[in-house]
Amino acid sequence: MITPKWRRAATLLAAIALASLSAAGPAHAVAPAAAATASGAAHRAPGETVATTFFAAIDALDVADERRDGYVRTAYRHWTDADRNGCNARKDVIISEAVEAPEVGPGCTLAGGTWFSPYDNVVVTDASGLDVDHVIPLAENWDSGGYGWTAKEREQYANDLSDPRTLIAVTARSNRQKADKDVAEWLPTAGYQCHYTQDWVAVKTRWGLSVDPAELAALHRIASGCDNVPITVVLAR
């Protein structure tokens, strides 16, 4: 069995509890206006740790219109095996996020195991029913600044195992419903929307990605019903 390296596995009991609480709202919502100011986005350095809050991180994001021209999915080489452990990044995510670990066979084949898909509150007992989603879709990454990156930077993003918020194992159905939509166009089940949006903002912060005006408005709307939780990221670029 491969030891998970980058995501703290939930227990099945916690997963079921999350499903049962999907309609519940935050205990103490804080207005975005109360957020502390995030530290200097203008002085980014790869490897720097940024400690901020959810609301401040939203306000610190650069705002720019999207740019889709020139995008092709093949611009992002993904599912590589950078650590040469015999499993590609997709399989590493699936193994790390198992509630009950699968057996890992030759060629990183998976048998057994249990997972919880927070996008739609579904328990999955067959790894073939899972997709690994880029929380910020590849096309959204391109729209938000990735169009100007090097091929190596896009590859690093597409296989980012260093931050557990970048990639997530979910049902194939929910991943395909989401497709390349941003938070103004698609959200997961109600009980996971705050967590999802916090991860969205953290990944955009980590990779220096912008938001478009409609996306920013959606982030403020969603955040008004969420707690102003701490967000800490290590900048990737």
Side-chain angles (χ1 to χ4, degrees), residues 113-136:
T114 303
W115 293 264
F116 178 71
S117 169
Y119 282 7
D120 47 3
N121 288 342
V122 173
V123 174
V124 179
T125 57
D126 184 345
S128 67
L130 295 167
D131 276 357
V132 172
D133 180 45
H134 292 87
V135 170
I136 307 296

Side-chain angles (χ1 to χ4, degrees), residues 6-235:
W6 60 275
R7 182 183 287 271
R8 179 175 55 84
T11 63
L12 183 57
L13 181 61
I16 294 171
L18 175 61
S20 68
L21 292 172
S22 62
H28 301 289
V30 182
T37 303
S39 60
H43 304 287
R44 299 178 59 91
E48 177 186 351
T49 298
V50 173
T52 182
T53 65
F54 181 31
F55 299 161
I58 293 173
D59 290 337
L61 293 170
D62 290 334
V63 182
D65 291 333
E66 292 188 345
R67 175 176 163 179
R68 180 64 59 95
D69 56 297
Y71 170 73
V72 289
R73 189 171 175 82
T74 52
Y76 293 80
R77 183 171 176 243
H78 53 291
W79 309 152
T80 61
D81 182 13
D83 59 7
R84 301 184 183 279
N85 67 353
C87 295
N88 64 23
R90 178 182 180 277
K91 289 288 186 70
D92 280 339
V93 173
I94 290 173
I95 294 166
S96 292
E97 294 197 348
V99 175
E100 296 177 353
E103 295 182 6
V104 183
C108 204
T109 56
L110 304 181
T114 303
W115 293 264
F116 178 71
S117 169
Y119 282 7
D120 47 3
N121 288 342
V122 173
V123 174
V124 179
T125 57
D126 184 345
S128 67
L130 295 167
D131 276 357
V132 172
D133 180 45
H134 292 87
V135 170
I136 307 296
L138 299 181
E140 171 69 19
N141 174 291
W142 179 277
D143 295 345
S144 306
Y147 59 81
W149 294 2
T150 65
K152 186 62 177 178
E153 286 174 322
R154 288 194 286 266
E155 179 181 338
Q156 289 170 339
Y157 171 78
N159 301 277
D160 183 12
L161 299 180
S162 296
D163 190 312
R165 294 166 290 198
T166 306
L167 298 165
I168 184 171
V170 294
T171 60
R173 179 174 178 270
S174 65
N175 186 42
R176 290 161 198 180
Q177 287 176 338
K178 173 185 171 180
D180 62 1
K181 300 179 181 72
D182 69 19
V183 293
E185 303 163 317
W186 183 90
L187 289 169
T189 188
Y192 193 67
Q193 287 178 10
C194 287
H195 191 144
Y196 177 78
T197 309
Q198 290 152 7
D199 286 357
W200 182 278
V201 171
V203 176
K204 287 230 163 178
T205 301
R206 171 169 163 77
W207 288 93
L209 296 168
S210 62
V211 292
D212 64 71
E215 181 185 353
L216 181 63
L219 288 171
H220 281 301
R221 174 180 55 79
I222 299 160
S224 68
C226 302
D227 290 331
N228 189 23
V229 297
I231 287 180
T232 301
V233 299
V234 177
L235 300 181

